[in-house]
Amino acid sequence: MSVPESQGRRRQKAKTTDTGANLGFEANPPHFHVRYEAYRAIIGIAPLELREGQLPPRVLGLVMEWGEIHQAELAENWTTLAKEAIFKRIDPLV
């Protein structure tokens, strides 16, 4: 499975920086990105909310359920990425 070019660039930048400044961590509140088919969205971590974009209602519901279950892990990942450029995989909704 290949990584889209834009994701590869972000990963490379995350690996080469020792702070989150180059990734926009200082300017952006904690969030994660969701892609589903042609839909794109940005979901805030605290509070857990749709901040930008749109998703089909069923998909948004599943994403919000997953986000609620893993909210502490998402917040920890945000902090760790900003400080150490380390990302920990979070389990999917099962």
Side-chain angles (χ1 to χ4, degrees), residues 15-58:
K15 288 179 184 175
T16 60
T17 181
D18 58 353
T19 69
N22 293 335
L23 296 172
F25 285 96
E26 294 172 352
N28 292 316
H31 66 275
F32 61 96
H33 295 248
V34 178
R35 295 187 308 177
Y36 175 76
E37 297 179 352
Y39 295 92
R40 304 287 184 266
I42 295 175
I43 308 294
I45 295 173
L48 193 62
E49 64 184 0
L50 176 64
R51 292 206 177 136
E52 189 176 309
Q54 67 181 82
L55 296 168
R58 182 177 177 279

Side-chain angles (χ1 to χ4, degrees), residues 7 10 18 20 26-27 30 32 36 43 46 51 56 64 68-69 75 80 83 85 87:
Q7 280 188 350
R10 275 185 271 153
D18 58 353
E26 294 172 352
F32 61 96
Y36 175 76
I43 308 294
R51 292 206 177 136
M64 298 305 271
E68 187 174 330
I69 292 168
T80 305
K83 291 180 180 178
F87 174 81

Side-chain angles (χ1 to χ4, degrees), residues 72-86:
E73 291 170 89
L74 288 162
E76 182 181 337
N77 255 352
W78 182 269
T79 302
T80 305
L81 274 168
K83 291 180 180 178
E84 303 169 26
I86 295 172

